[in-house]
Amino acid sequence: MKKFVEYVFLTLGASIVAMGLETMLAPNGLVDGGVTALSIMANALWGIPIYVVFLGLNIPILIFTAKEVGKTFVIRTLYANIITTVGLVLFKSIPPITKSVLIVLYGGVILGVGIGIVVKFGGAIDGTEMLSIWFNQHYRFPIASFLLVVNAFIFTIAAVVYTLEQAMLSLAVFYIVTKMINYVLDGLNHGKSVMIISEKPDEVGDSIISHLNISITFLYGEGGFLGERKKVIYCITNRFLFSKLKSVVLAADPSAIMEASYVCETSGIDRSLILPKANPSK
């Protein structure tokens, strides 16, 4: 059942990608980088169907990099590419959703969500990511740097095939796609992890629990200068409660040191939503 659900999401993500390419980006002369960009430009220059170049480039790249990316990734990527190809054929007859400049925003969001879903469930859409992994494995070439070089070249070609303005709009699409992919992969439930170093750890901890009903954990550390043992408070909260947490901590110990970092895919019960406020007098 788990595998079935994963393939349902792979199908959904690949279908969303196909819809974004055929009904939003391609009709407006916009690209998003990588193999999909080359497919759209080949269609504009020579009338070659997008799916022909899409599969014609992705399949050889997938075979070439199969050893590095693994069997499961290959199977799921191949499946996602086939579904995307079917989608490209089906969505070809649908007229463009809009020709407004808003297509940059909506096209980027839709394409990013689709690609993000496919990646989240173990596949890929674009062959350039597979090549970046291969170059990283064999030549220790940074993946981000490889993608930057390849896409800089592709957007330069886009400026020649279309116009400089369309290439600039495509770059904006690419940025939004990247951000949406990260958003899908990181999850919706973002929070903040907080480390608190205080000379009054028990007092600060009690204050956090009584005022905010946030679960805390004491970690035991050692001072680097004097070597004394310390209690370090660790807790996770959401972005909205963080400012209140900071006020509560500093009210209990104005000299406390706090470090906060964003965390993704937090899970567990937020006790502040279900428990009554504790009475400090009890």
Side-chain angles (χ1 to χ4, degrees), residues 150-269:
V150 170
N151 285 307
F153 176 71
I154 288 173
F155 284 119
T156 301
I157 298 176
V160 176
V161 173
Y162 299 111
T163 64
L164 180 60
E165 181 181 11
Q166 284 176 294
M168 294 170 68
L169 291 174
S170 295
L171 188 59
V173 171
F174 180 73
Y175 176 80
I176 296 171
V177 168
T178 303
K179 288 297 180 181
M180 287 307 302
I181 292 172
N182 292 336
Y183 192 71
V184 172
L185 294 179
D186 291 342
L188 304 176
N189 194 19
H190 290 192
K192 277 195 171 184
S193 65
V194 185
M195 300 277 285
I196 305 166
I197 302 174
S198 170
E199 296 299 326
K200 308 172 184 177
D202 295 310
E203 184 178 332
V204 171
D206 289 341
S207 185
I208 292 173
I209 294 172
S210 63
H211 286 87
L212 301 176
N213 286 313
I214 295 176
S215 297
I216 66 171
T217 299
F218 285 115
L219 307 177
Y220 291 89
E222 183 177 306
F225 185 67
L226 298 177
E228 76 279 15
R229 289 181 62 80
K230 287 180 175 289
K231 272 186 177 180
V232 179
I233 302 170
Y234 177 79
C235 64
I236 295 178
T237 184
N238 60 53
R239 292 169 290 176
F240 307 104
L241 279 179
F242 175 69
S243 59
K244 190 172 182 181
L245 171 66
K246 187 175 180 181
S247 299
V248 168
V249 170
L250 294 179
D253 181 6
S255 62
I257 299 171
M258 297 182 64
E259 182 274 331
S261 304
Y262 279 109
V263 292
C264 304
E265 293 287 0
T266 56
S267 61
I269 299 174

Side-chain angles (χ1 to χ4, degrees), residues 102-115:
L102 287 175
I103 205 68
V104 172
L105 174 61
Y106 294 116
V109 168
I110 289 176
L111 205 62
V113 169
I115 295 173

